[in-house]
């Protein structure tokens, strides 16, 4: 066994600040289904931890991303998704083209010097993989491929992402530090104890459930009880992007967890399914996943209360069954202190 990160790291605002600057600010984030911005004249709001971003497809057909903050006095421009030709700020109606340029600013003609050319939206980066759009707050970001590495190939062994269609989004909030939520996701040591329905379907024994660390992500491989050919995968792309494929017909859920203060975490999961997957099976999977989610919420909120009590300096990790947590904690530690 080894020690966990110091428990102080789960409540200290200074640590969160460094995580925001050094971890989340440098990460590609899942933004939403690519189908939402397939048509010229469409947009999709997203975020990179605390930074609001917006993905657009202008009439010229080019996919772009911008910081979703008005150049006037900082109002967030838009949320959700939709079809339109411009983005208008709700505060004083400055209006931007979907290519980011400032089209109109009411009363600007009364100003001595007003240069709309320098007041376009601040560019960010955007990339598409299969049916998924990703954003990065930095216009000069490294490529998404560098982050994903072998992940698309590994997923491709069990699901063809190009055949998946968006089904629905689930959103959640947790009274816990984001790392506690991620660490809970990275082991199935607790599955047989805390997830009865899940463990009735998935073989969660140590020898059947495979943990596989990679440079930029951590993978878990599993299969249906009694049927090794029916395979699932659960991945975490550092720092907080989950990708889940349950054993069974073509399915995948994808979504980030974000810190919302040191002691609160928000997240979402977009569910995708193959065209031919039966509605009844989809409903069963969504219900099972919701049940697992409720069980995990109770677990991580209890862990957060224990950790924040200050009664203990740290905890212990099993280097076999919790090796992905150990890798994740070392990755966070390098990023925060390096
Ligand atoms: S803040 Fe956007 S128009 Fe004033
Ligand atoms: Fe769990």
């Amino acid at each position: 066994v080894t020690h966990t990160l110091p428990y102080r790291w789960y409540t200290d605002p200074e640590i969160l600040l460094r995580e925001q600057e050094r971890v989340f600010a440098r990460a590609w984030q899942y933004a939403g289904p690519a189908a939402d911005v397939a048509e010229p004249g469409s947009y999709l709001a997203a975020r990179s931890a605390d930074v609001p971003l917006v993905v657009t497809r202008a009439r010229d057909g080019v996919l772009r991303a911008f910081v979703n903050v008005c150049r006037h006095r900082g109002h967030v421009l838009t949320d959700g998704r939709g079809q339109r030709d411009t983005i208008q700020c709700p505060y004083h109606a400055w209006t931007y083209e979907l290519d980011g340029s400032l089209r109109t600013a009411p009363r600007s003609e009364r100003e001595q010097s007003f240069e709309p050319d320098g007041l376009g939206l601040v560019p960010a980066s955007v990339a598409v993989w299969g049916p998924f759009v990703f954003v990065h707050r930095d216009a000069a970001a490294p490529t998404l491929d560098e982050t994903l590495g072998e992940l698309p190939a590994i997923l491709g062994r069990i699901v063809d992402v190009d055949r998946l269609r968006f089904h629905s989004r689930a959103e959640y909030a947790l009274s816990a530090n984001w790392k506690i939520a991620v660490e809970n996701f990275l082991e199935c040591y607790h599955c047989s104890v805390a997830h009865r329905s899940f463990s009735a379907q998935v073989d969660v024994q140590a020898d059947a459930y495979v943990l596989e660390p990679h440079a930029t992500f951590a993978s878990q491989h599993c299969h249906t009880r009694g049927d090794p050919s029916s395979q699932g995968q659960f991945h975490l792309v550092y720092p907080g992007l989950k990708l889940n494929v349950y054993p069974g017909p073509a399915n995948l859920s994808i979504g980030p967890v974000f810190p919302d203060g040191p002691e609160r975490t928000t997240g979402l999961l977009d569910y995708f399914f193959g065209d031919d997957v039966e509605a009844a099976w989809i409903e069963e999977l969504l219900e099972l996943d919701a049940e697992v989610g409720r069980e995990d919420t109770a677990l991580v909120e209890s862990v957060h209360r224990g950790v924040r009590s200050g009664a203990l300096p740290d905890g212990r990790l099993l280097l076999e069954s919790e090796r992905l947590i150990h890798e994740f904690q070392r990755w966070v530690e390098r990023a925060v202190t390096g």
Side-chain angles (χ1 to χ4, degrees), residues 106-182:
R107 303 192 199 175
S108 58
E109 71 285 357
R110 300 165 72 97
E111 294 296 305
Q112 287 293 338
S113 62
F114 186 86
E115 288 298 333
D117 283 356
L119 291 172
L121 297 177
V122 173
S125 292
V126 64
V128 174
W129 162 41
F132 318 122
V133 182
F134 292 81
V135 287
H136 191 296
R137 69 176 67 173
D138 191 343
T143 65
L144 176 64
D145 290 352
E146 277 175 57
T147 292
L148 296 179
E150 306 155 75
L151 179 58
I154 293 171
L155 265 173
R157 291 183 214 149
I158 63 165
V159 67
D160 179 356
V161 296
D162 290 315
R163 300 180 71 111
L164 297 171
R165 294 258 181 96
F166 175 72
H167 178 274
S168 54
R169 171 170 290 189
E171 294 180 272
Y172 55 91
L174 305 165
S175 297
N177 182 267
W178 73 275
K179 296 189 293 299
I180 292 176
V182 164

Side-chain angles (χ1 to χ4, degrees), residues 70-75 77 89-94 96:
C70 185
R71 294 297 306 276
H72 177 216
R73 282 185 25 232
H75 199 288
L77 289 165
C89 181
Y91 202 176
H92 313 91
W94 283 29
Y96 302 87

Side-chain angles (χ1 to χ4, degrees), residues 5 10 19 23-24 29 172 174 176-188 190 217-218 220 234-242 244 255-259 265-267 296 300 303 322 324-329 331-332:
L5 289 174
Y10 296 83
E19 289 167 347
V23 176
F24 287 95
Q29 289 295 351
Y172 55 91
L174 305 165
N177 182 267
W178 73 275
K179 296 189 293 299
I180 292 176
V182 164
E183 289 162 10
N184 173 70
F185 178 81
L186 287 176
E187 50 95 349
C188 211
H190 71 278
F217 62 100
Q220 301 170 74
F234 306 108
H235 304 278
L236 178 85
V237 181
Y238 296 154
L241 176 68
K242 299 175 182 179
N244 310 300
V257 300
F258 289 126
T265 298
T266 56
D296 280 327
V300 300
V303 168
E322 295 167 316
L324 297 184
I325 299 182
H326 183 52
E327 296 282 341
F328 167 74
Q329 294 194 345
W331 184 87
V332 170

